[in-house]
Amino acid sequence: MNFGIDTGFYPLGSCTMKFNPKFTEELAALPTVTRIHPDQDESTVQGALRVLYELQDLLARIAGMDAVTLQPAAGAQGEYTGLLLAQAYHRERGEERHQVIIPDTAHGTNPASAGMLGFDLIEIPSKDGRVDLKALEAAAGPKTLALMLTNPNTLGIFEEHVLDIAQIVHDAGGLLYYDGANFNAILGRTSPGKMNFDIVHFNLHKTFTTPHGGGGPGAGPVGVKKPLEPFLPVPVIGLNGRGYHLDYDRPKSIGKVRAWYGNFALLVRAYAYILRMGGDGLKEVSDRAVLNANYIRHRLAGVLDVPFGGLRKHEFVASAAKLAAERGVRTVDLAKRLMDFGYHPPTVYFPHLVEEALMVEPTETETKETLDGFVEALKKIVKEDPDTLHSAPHNTAVARVDEVQAAREPILSWRTLKSPKPPS
Amino acid sequence: MPSDEDEMLREMGLRSVDDLFADIPSAVRIPKLDIPDGLPEDQVVARVTSMLRANRTVVDMPTFLGGGLYDHFVPASVRAVVSRSEFYTSYTPYQPEISQGLLQALWEYQSLICELTGMDAANTSMYDGSTALGEAARMAHRIHGGRIFLVPRGLRHNRRAVLANYILGAGLEVREVDYDRESGMLDLAKLKTAMSPDVCGVYVENPNFFGRFEEQLEEIRDMTTGVLVVGVNPIAQAVVRPPGDFGADIVVGEGQPLGTQMNFGGPLLGIFACRQQHIRKMPGRVIGLTRDAKGHRAFCMTLQTREQHIRREKAMSNICTNESLLAVAAAAYMAVLGSNGLRRVAAENIRRAKELAAAIDKIAGFEAPLFPGAHFNEFVVRRKKGYAAVHRALLEKGIHGGLPLTRQLPELSDAALFATTGRHTPEAVGRLLAALEAFR
Ligand SMILES: Cc1ncc(COP(=O)(O)O)c(C=O)c1O
């Protein structure tokens, strides 16, 4: 009744659904992980603090950053934290900046994080699937707090002009925020630090394969360059002559974004995964993830359009717009029908600038056989009778679910269902 | 036999994977990652296990910490449920037709939280109890419009700190209402003075930070013109009148006690529930009951227009990845125990806390509970001659005392918050009492 990555192919774009190692599950179940309280005296949790300290260091190295906080619970909270850090940085310089620039390809959490903090959002249109440098130049100025960018972007396209982008934003006095959701594409090839980003969040539940848990928990550590380090949330895990410790003595800190130190049980898993893969293994991860994505894209030529030219990194966005126009078959129909073939559909209708979008991210842990099977299924599906597709799925536990009805009269609990007064 | 990689490359007419990275300009390339090479699985397991051995668990060391996070017994069946890979290796149930298992589990979580709190709707989770509080303050502002949010001064400082960061964009001001020095409950006279038409919400905890049940919810409701937000310990709800009955508008809390281990403070489960009339202002993901095309019962995510992927900068919250698996654990925990089981656990906690406080109170120089009256599973212990030395001495004897309150509230710098649950053995309690006796 529920499809997981252990069930089958799960090419959900932007979400990086890769195999979740089993040995990290075993480690996270150790009593030395589960049965320690975060308020324990530092002397009694040296093992936990050491894991956190070493993970801070590993992540900083991977990202080309100088310091890392492990506190944020997920990517979106990493963004929130990162924007707070940027604000603190500007304020220290006596500047109030409140404009956050994002490209129109940005994930919804980017504008939502900025909006939640009351910042003004400036969305710039893309040109040929990439940041339009002219538009960026026009948008950047003395009020620019930061540009939020993911690279490769959500189309899977590497922003080749990333150093020019950085230059434009830095010249305006703004900071560069790297949305690390797409880190799986660049391990060992480049790093946010090398691309001149100032702040980065990691989605450990994506690139570093902590299980997605049906929607969470995740972990969203944030890395920064040196000038931003003083503002990191408290506590930072430190090491001194007496051992590992929780450093609260940080007068410029932004404070806290969640209770205690982060999603520890997930951080242990990510730490173990990084030790297991190492620098060499992580590079292979990206190599294979990118190979798999480009392979599917290549094999889908003539089946579905993939707008915008050039290479892709770990994912690509196809469009069913032509199919919709010619045969009345929309992306949602393809997605639903894919389930009948045993696949989890790709991400659909995102990013918004691609009509009838299907965002495919195969990840590195899939074999050629799986990818070929997926391609063959799609080839078959696009030729099927539109009625079969409109009424799909046919092989699942329930038929197509009426989401409109669910929203019209929301029944969110047994209590509401049983209440005499029908919900308005 | 050629490898998968070779075949794929050949089919694409490429020589090497490097060709696929030709779009990365040389100026931003790195030669390799600056971390050590990978290790075999057995070596990683050995290394991490050995590092973690430096921790002293609550099994090795009788520990009396609570303060928002508790060491309750987790039935094996709860772990079995969340260890199902269909649950833990899936993601947000965007495709309901192949996610009915998770969707139903989450809907049942919502339903059980509503039963426990007397609310109509719950979301599938916030990051933790502290961000749930932050989101509640923001929602109170959306509902009421006022710019002041009142919280108890006796509030765990990590919650207070997170709240401070969550209200920034909404332009809210947080004001503290002191507690009554005698009862440990909210000081109603001070609340009255703090109330104004610009107060969008009042936050109160039951049980409160001192473990004391807050018995004035009715009075607090009557005095509040804005939104009433009640913070709960979910297990304690099994034995109190639910906040919904007192007219609470929003209920939040830390859900870790419901079937999740302490894990050094994460992952946690932010409980968030509200009344039906406010559901469109609620943050986070929610699951609704509906039908499929054949008329069969089905579940799906709903009210998504509140969320970041649709509403973007105008979304109720930026939350995307949440703590769903812990919500599934909580649902399993509540279902496995049932209402009788939950009540038994709650009663057991109350009894044990009462007994432990009484035993500590008997020791000359110690006062427990500092605030008289009904407590849940923790209470304040005061030692007029100072508590810090006691804390250190306990640690030296391999016992972890309660949370010293010095950093929380200066007037309680000679006190600590002691917690107990059904997991403390008589031997553990005996060791604590014997060690405290030495300070007579
Ligand atoms: C590109 C991108 N940015 C940010 C996020 C937000 O991360 P999280 O879900 O961990 O909050 C996501 C997650 O889906 C993403 O795909």
Side-chain angles (χ1 to χ4, degrees):
Chain A
M1 287 283 274
N2 215 72
F3 197 101
I5 185 70
D6 284 4
T7 320
F9 189 43
Y10 207 135
L12 192 65
S14 212
C15 298
T16 312
M17 304 301 292
K18 59 169 84 176
F19 173 69
N20 301 138
K22 304 308 168 195
F23 79 99
T24 57
E25 293 304 305
E26 288 187 3
L27 285 172
L30 291 171
T32 46
V33 173
T34 61
R35 308 253 348 242
I36 49 175
H37 192 291
D39 293 326
Q40 275 178 230
D41 189 84
E42 288 161 355
S43 66
T44 68
V45 286
Q46 284 294 302
L49 294 176
R50 179 167 171 202
V51 166
L52 297 180
Y53 182 84
E54 293 193 0
L55 181 59
Q56 283 176 180
D57 179 61
L58 287 168
L59 291 175
R61 287 167 185 274
I62 290 169
M65 291 284 152
D66 297 314
V68 165
T69 172
L70 302 171
Q71 198 171 110
Q77 210 187 27
E79 295 165 18
Y80 196 86
T81 307
L83 290 174
L84 279 175
L85 295 170
Q87 186 183 45
Y89 167 90
H90 291 306
R91 281 194 175 154
E92 161 115 328
R93 276 151 195 75
E95 291 187 31
E96 275 303 325
R97 290 170 170 252
H98 53 81
Q99 291 179 348
V100 176
I101 306 174
I102 60 163
D104 59 0
T105 49
H107 188 260
T109 51
N110 295 183
S113 299
M116 227 173 134
L117 278 161
F119 296 138
D120 298 330
L121 202 75
I122 303 193
E123 189 177 282
I124 52 169
S126 302
K127 201 172 126 195
D128 202 22
R130 291 141 174 102
V131 169
D132 179 347
L133 294 182
K134 289 241 161 57
L136 177 61
E137 257 168 8
K143 293 286 165 231
T144 304
L145 181 96
L147 165 75
M148 299 179 87
L149 189 67
T150 173
N151 196 18
N153 65 26
T154 58
L155 296 164
I157 297 174
F158 192 84
E159 302 274 1
E160 294 180 41
H161 300 293
V162 62
L163 289 181
D164 301 321
I165 292 171
Q167 182 86 42
I168 292 170
V169 175
H170 282 154
D171 283 352
L175 295 176
L176 248 81
Y177 184 93
Y178 185 83
D179 174 342
N182 294 339
F183 224 124
N184 216 45
I186 59 160
L187 293 160
R189 296 279 177 177
T190 179
S191 75
K194 190 80 183 172
M195 291 187 266
N196 282 349
F197 284 87
D198 305 291
I199 310 169
V200 47
H201 84 247
F202 305 81
N203 302 69
L204 297 188
H205 43 298
K206 298 181 180 185
T207 317
F208 300 97
T209 196
T210 71
H212 278 84
V222 169
V224 294
K225 292 265 174 75
K226 201 87 195 159
L228 286 125
E229 186 178 359
F231 310 109
L232 288 179
V234 281
V236 169
I237 317 302
L239 174 62
N240 62 20
R242 284 181 295 119
Y244 300 94
H245 66 106
L246 298 163
D247 181 6
Y248 281 94
D249 185 19
R250 305 177 70 87
K252 292 184 186 168
S253 166
I254 59 164
K256 293 189 73 63
V257 294
R258 52 155 285 155
W260 294 293
Y261 326 119
N263 280 345
F264 179 67
L266 286 304
L267 300 172
V268 171
R269 288 175 174 91
Y271 174 68
Y273 174 73
I274 294 171
L275 292 189
R276 171 83 181 90
M277 304 308 288
D280 52 342
L282 288 175
K283 176 169 177 292
E284 277 178 43
V285 162
S286 287
D287 282 4
R288 185 60 193 258
V290 169
L291 177 61
N292 281 357
N294 280 280
Y295 177 73
I296 297 187
R297 178 191 178 210
H298 174 80
R299 289 219 47 205
L300 279 180
V303 182
L304 286 172
D305 291 332
V306 176
F308 311 117
L311 286 167
R312 289 300 180 274
K313 294 274 86 52
H314 65 308
E315 65 191 358
F316 66 91
V317 180
S319 168
K322 214 177 339 154
L323 211 56
E326 288 168 4
R327 307 189 58 217
V329 170
R330 301 188 55 212
T331 285
V332 58
D333 305 316
L334 300 181
K336 298 298 179 195
R337 185 64 176 144
L338 272 169
M339 298 179 198
D340 288 334
F341 288 77
Y343 299 107
H344 193 291
T347 293
V348 292
Y349 299 103
F350 176 77
H352 304 305
L353 81 164
V354 174
E355 243 182 284
E356 297 294 325
L358 280 120
M359 186 187 207
V360 184
E361 180 182 11
T363 80
E364 72 280 5
T365 54
E366 302 297 339
T367 62
K368 174 171 179 292
E369 189 184 357
T370 299
L371 309 182
D372 285 336
F374 177 73
V375 169
E376 292 309 322
L378 263 176
K379 281 186 169 170
K380 210 180 273 171
I381 289 170
V382 296
K383 293 203 197 94
E384 281 185 319
D385 168 33
D387 288 344
T388 306
L389 297 177
H390 292 145
S391 53
H394 304 282
N395 278 336
T396 48
V398 294
R400 204 177 282 201
V401 172
D402 189 348
E403 302 189 30
V404 176
Q405 167 65 20
R408 193 181 302 133
E409 270 185 41
I411 301 172
L412 309 185
S413 66
W414 184 250
R415 202 179 156 88
T416 302
L417 183 65
K418 291 284 139 189
S419 79
K421 183 168 53 86
S424 54
Chain B
M1 212 174 83
S3 70
D4 262 19
E5 284 91 343
D6 293 340
E7 281 189 40
M8 290 194 280
L9 287 169
R10 180 153 21 87
E11 186 152 348
M12 288 189 280
L14 300 175
R15 281 221 317 278
S16 132
V17 180
D18 291 343
D19 298 347
L20 292 170
F21 291 89
D23 52 352
I24 300 190
S26 53
V28 299
R29 290 198 190 187
I30 54 172
K32 64 191 280 284
L33 283 175
D34 178 25
I35 64 169
D37 282 350
L39 296 170
E41 179 175 318
D42 56 346
Q43 286 184 31
V44 175
V45 170
R47 183 160 150 189
V48 177
T49 307
S50 131
M51 274 168 73
L52 289 165
R53 229 173 260 136
N55 293 337
R56 302 209 63 193
T57 70
V58 297
V59 189
D60 313 324
M61 172 181 65
T63 297
F64 296 87
L65 290 166
L69 204 65
Y70 306 90
D71 185 32
H72 293 289
F73 177 71
V74 178
S77 46
V78 172
R79 266 195 307 283
V81 168
V82 293
S83 302
R84 297 278 307 211
S85 73
E86 297 90 334
F87 281 146
Y88 85 82
T89 77
S90 65
Y91 194 32
T92 306
Y94 293 114
Q95 299 292 347
E97 295 83 3
I98 47 171
S99 310
Q100 284 298 303
L102 177 67
L103 286 161
Q104 181 172 343
L106 292 174
W107 192 82
E108 290 186 4
Y109 163 78
Q110 293 174 183
S111 293
L112 291 162
I113 290 296
C114 290
E115 293 300 322
L116 214 50
T117 58
M119 306 307 276
D120 307 310
N123 70 19
T124 60
S125 64
M126 309 272 44
Y127 299 131
D128 67 4
S130 70
T131 66
L133 170 58
E135 297 272 15
R138 298 170 52 84
M139 181 165 156
H141 173 63
R142 287 197 288 275
I143 293 172
H144 180 275
R147 303 226 155 250
I148 298 167
F149 189 72
L150 301 180
V151 302
R153 182 165 160 272
L155 179 65
R156 181 77 206 255
H157 82 327
N158 55 20
R159 283 193 189 153
R160 182 71 183 76
V162 173
L163 175 64
N165 272 331
Y166 262 70
I167 45 98
L168 288 174
L172 282 176
E173 182 193 337
V174 175
R175 288 193 192 156
E176 295 178 348
V177 179
D178 213 344
Y179 62 93
D180 181 277
R181 292 292 189 278
E182 294 302 311
S183 71
M185 295 191 290
L186 205 64
D187 185 329
L188 294 186
K190 299 229 163 85
L191 176 62
K192 197 164 181 190
T193 325
M195 278 312 298
S196 83
D198 207 20
V199 171
C200 65
V202 173
Y203 176 65
V204 54
E205 293 185 336
N206 184 32
N208 68 17
F209 174 54
F210 306 127
R212 174 81 170 85
F213 282 106
E214 176 54 75
E215 293 170 12
Q216 316 169 115
L217 285 181
E218 222 141 351
E219 292 87 333
I220 294 169
R221 165 74 282 176
D222 290 344
M223 292 166 70
T224 302
T225 47
V227 170
L228 180 63
V229 182
V230 179
V232 301
N233 176 321
I235 293 185
Q237 296 312 297
V239 290
V240 300
R241 243 176 91 196
D245 285 12
F246 289 101
D249 302 290
I250 300 173
V251 175
V252 296
E254 176 49 62
Q256 173 273 335
L258 299 174
T260 295
Q261 307 272 18
M262 297 185 295
N263 289 314
F264 202 45
L268 299 172
L269 171 63
I271 293 175
F272 197 105
C274 73
R275 297 197 172 279
Q276 187 78 12
Q277 74 210 72
H278 298 314
I279 55 176
R280 287 171 205 276
K281 294 198 165 78
M282 182 166 54
R285 210 157 262 154
V286 294
I287 312 302
L289 178 66
T290 184
R291 306 246 157 226
D292 75 356
K294 294 183 180 146
H296 296 128
R297 186 192 73 181
F299 301 92
C300 65
M301 301 201 297
T302 192
L303 302 179
Q304 295 187 56
T305 50
R306 300 165 300 111
E307 292 188 69
Q308 47 77 28
H309 56 293
I310 313 263
R311 190 72 75 79
R312 296 176 77 86
E313 72 273 21
K314 298 256 167 10
M316 300 300 125
S317 169
N318 64 344
I319 193 166
C320 177
T321 293
N322 56 22
E323 310 295 317
S324 285
L325 196 65
L326 280 74
V328 174
Y333 181 84
M334 289 185 272
V336 165
L337 267 70
S339 55
N340 286 337
L342 273 179
R343 251 182 251 127
R344 246 194 326 271
V345 171
E348 170 83 356
N349 273 261
I350 292 172
R351 182 180 64 79
R352 287 197 178 224
K354 194 169 175 181
E355 285 175 9
L356 181 61
I360 294 175
D361 197 53
K362 278 211 195 89
I363 304 170
F366 290 90
E367 200 182 339
L370 177 62
F371 305 110
H375 285 70
F376 184 51
N377 61 358
E378 56 196 330
F379 51 87
V380 176
V381 175
R382 167 181 269 169
R383 181 170 178 266
K384 283 236 175 65
K385 280 199 209 150
Y387 180 75
V390 177
H391 194 68
R392 278 194 305 275
L394 289 177
L395 275 174
E396 270 160 30
K397 291 187 176 164
I399 301 163
H400 205 299
L403 177 74
L405 294 176
T406 322
R407 264 208 262 163
Q408 309 280 331
L409 296 160
E411 70 275 18
L412 294 177
S413 59
D414 53 359
L417 184 66
F418 272 69
T420 184
T421 69
R423 265 189 148 174
H424 279 141
T425 60
E427 192 241 332
V429 172
R431 277 180 62 191
L432 170 71
L433 294 174
L436 292 179
E437 282 284 352
F439 282 90
R440 226 174 223 291

